[in-house]
Each structure stands twice: as structure tokens, then as C-alpha cells.
């Protein structure tokens, strides 16, 4: 079974602080992909980052960075120098790859991030 | 490059009625997935369509049905609406064999 857990329900920070969003996943599959999506109040889910299960190299993209550790089944996401516009609900998600079919996304319950000016 | 579009943006129905939601995928995408997001929850997978066929289905009753057209656009139909069907319905598109799904703005359905 696939499961994604985001233990942090809400996080509040002041602008320019760094913030890390935690994600822990469960899967028996060896090939899978992990994602972070952002959902502003408008409701649209915006794709942010993707990592496949064979690539544990951590990367930085602008103010975003992520830490993928298979040993602890974690895929944490960090925003550096947060801004008010970063306020949104952030979802971690997983999709497994079985043969030629890529299917459903399994989402966590989301973390509400509020950045105060 | 047009992204995923959905219509209508908002909808109010009463219990027992039927509703049809529509989705046009991102240009070049051939696979459409539908998700239901209740307030304060993560999106839950309803089903996925590719080549006009339902390829995968989540844990939703048969009241939820769908269709994909030759131009890859899709419809989600819900019959005999219940109060619990009130949610944000999200459509996502992707390319077959590609893992990233791109979402539309959603349709907010309220069942009274």
C-alpha cells in the first residue's frame, strides 16, 4: 500500500525565515516518484518539484531545495528566505511505476504555510 | 501554451441531482485524471482515462463515471448527488508514461 504522511498541519513563519516541510512516505514499490505541489487559496495545484526513487541527489532550485532520503523514507522540502507569496497549502505526493503504467497520485493531507510580513 | 482548463468553476446542486464537470488537458497531453478534494484534506484519486478508456479507478462508487473524447478532453459525471459529494474536483493531465500530472483550477461543487 502507498501512504504519504505530512505530520505538520500548520506552520507560521515571518518573512525571510527558512522553512522546512516534512514528508514521510510508505511504498513497497522500488520505482516511484515523489512530488511537492503548492495550492494557493485559488485552489489550483501547482507542480513544484519531482524526484524519482533512483536519484537521491539533493538539489536546489532558486529558493526551493529538497532532501530525499530513502533510508528514512523522507522527502523534505525547504523554502529559503520565505516570502508572503509562499503562503499556501503544500502537498507531498507519490506515484509508483509498474511496468508501462503510471497512475494515481497519493497525496498527504497537506501543510498550511503562513508567511507573515 | 494553454494549461489545463475546467468548467464550470463553481456549481450548486441539490441532493439527488446529477452533475457533469468538464476538463480540457494541457496541450499535447493524452491522459486525464480526476481527483476529489474535501475541505482540509488532500486530493483523492477518482479515476484516470487514456485512449478513451478508464485505466485506473480509486475507491469511489459507481455513481462516479467519466468519459474521454477523441480530442483527449474529459467529463466527470456524478449521479444521485449526496451532501458528502461537496468538494473541489480537480482534473489533471499528463502524457502516458510520464509521471508528472498538471492540474487545472478545479470545480467547486456544493450539494445542498
Amino acid at each position: 500500500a502507498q501512504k504519504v504522511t505530512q505530520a505538520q498541519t500548520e506552520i507560521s513563519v515571518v518573512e525571510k525565515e527558512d522553512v522546512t516541510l516534512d514528508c514521510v512516505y510508505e511504498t513497497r514499490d522500488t520505482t516511484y516518484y515523489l512530488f511537492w505541489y503548492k495550492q494557493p487559496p485559488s485552489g489550483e495545484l501547482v507542480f513544484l518539484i519531482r524526484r524519482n526513487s533512483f536519484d537521491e541527489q539533493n538539489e536546489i532550485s532558486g529558493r526551493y531545495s529538497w532532501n530525499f532520503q530513502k533510508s528514512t523514507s523522507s522527502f523534505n522540502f525547504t523554502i529559503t528566505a520565505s516570502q508572503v507569496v509562499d503562503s499556501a497549502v503544500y502537498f507531498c505526493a507519490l506515484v509508483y511505476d509498474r511496468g508501462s503504467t503510471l497512475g494515481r497520485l497519493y497525496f498527504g493531507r497537506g501543510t498550511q504555510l503562513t508567511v507573515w510580513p | 501554451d494553454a494549461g489545463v482548463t475546467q468548467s464550470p468553476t463553481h456549481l450548486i446542486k441539490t441532493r439527488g441531482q446529477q452533475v457533469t464537470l468538464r476538463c480540457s488537458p494541457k496541450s499535447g497531453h493524452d491522459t486525464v485524471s480526476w481527483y476529489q478534494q474535501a475541505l482540509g484534506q488532500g486530493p483523492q484519486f477518482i479515476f484516470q482515462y487514456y485512449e478513451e478508456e478508464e485505466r485506473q479507478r480509486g475507491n469511489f462508487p459507481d455513481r462516479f463515471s467519466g468519459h474521454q473524447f477523441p480530442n483527449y478532453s474529459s467529463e466527470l459525471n456524478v449521479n444521485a448527488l449526496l451532501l458528502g459529494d461537496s468538494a473541489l474536483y480537480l482534473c489533471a493531465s499528463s502524457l502516458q508514461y510520464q509521471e508528472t500530472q498538471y492540474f487545472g483550477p478545479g470545480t467547486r461543487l456544493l450539494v445542498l
Side-chain angles (χ1 to χ4, degrees):
Chain A
Q2 331 293 325
K3 184 178 179 182
V4 177
T5 301
Q6 295 178 252
Q8 303 155 309
T9 306
E10 296 182 25
I11 299 177
S12 290
V13 298
V14 177
E15 210 169 18
K16 298 184 183 179
E17 287 185 6
D18 298 347
V19 57
T20 295
L21 308 180
D22 297 335
C23 174
V24 174
Y25 64 92
E26 296 176 28
T27 179
R28 290 177 293 182
D29 291 88
T30 57
T31 305
Y32 52 90
Y33 298 86
L34 294 163
F35 302 83
W36 279 95
Y37 284 88
K38 173 183 179 180
Q39 188 175 44
S42 61
E44 181 173 348
L45 278 167
V46 178
F47 165 70
L48 296 177
I49 57 174
R50 172 189 66 243
R51 177 59 66 198
N52 72 57
S53 55
F54 294 107
D55 184 1
E56 289 191 70
Q57 181 178 356
N58 296 313
E59 292 188 18
I60 297 174
S61 176
R63 294 188 300 110
Y64 298 155
S65 63
W66 49 96
N67 186 343
F68 175 35
Q69 293 190 351
K70 288 180 73 173
S71 60
T72 56
S73 297
S74 65
F75 184 52
N76 298 334
F77 175 62
T78 298
I79 303 174
T80 302
S82 60
Q83 301 174 1
V84 173
V85 293
D86 295 327
S87 297
V89 181
Y90 289 81
F91 289 96
C92 180
L94 174 151
V95 66
Y96 59 81
D97 182 358
R98 290 181 184 169
S100 61
T101 301
L102 283 172
R104 61 179 291 180
L105 280 163
Y106 293 81
F107 284 88
R109 295 187 63 171
T111 297
Q112 171 70 59
L113 173 64
T114 303
V115 182
W116 298 99
Chain B
D1 182 17
V4 180
T5 60
Q6 292 186 243
S7 63
T9 56
H10 295 81
L11 206 51
I12 299 175
K13 292 286 187 179
T14 57
R15 282 180 298 175
Q17 285 190 311
Q18 178 265 344
V19 67
T20 297
L21 311 181
R22 296 176 177 81
C23 171
S24 291
K26 187 177 171 69
S27 178
H29 284 184
D30 56 10
T31 301
V32 173
S33 302
W34 286 92
Y35 293 81
Q36 180 196 65
Q37 186 180 15
L39 197 62
Q41 305 293 319
Q44 297 294 314
F45 176 77
I46 303 175
F47 41 55
Q48 182 182 81
Y49 278 85
Y50 171 68
E51 290 190 334
E52 303 180 50
E53 291 188 359
E54 184 182 290
R55 294 293 296 270
Q56 288 193 48
R57 189 179 181 91
N59 188 26
F60 280 80
D62 292 343
R63 298 187 297 109
F64 289 76
S65 63
H67 188 78
Q68 186 179 34
F69 300 94
N71 66 353
Y72 307 119
S73 67
S74 176
E75 288 183 350
L76 164 65
N77 300 291
V78 187
N79 294 321
L81 284 167
L82 304 174
L83 296 179
D85 294 331
S86 295
L88 176 67
Y89 288 85
L90 294 162
C91 169
S93 76
S94 57
L95 274 169
Q96 185 66 347
Y97 312 127
Q98 298 284 321
E99 66 281 359
T100 303
Q101 296 182 23
Y102 295 88
F103 286 81
T107 295
R108 294 188 186 276
L109 172 65
L110 177 61
V111 182
L112 300 176

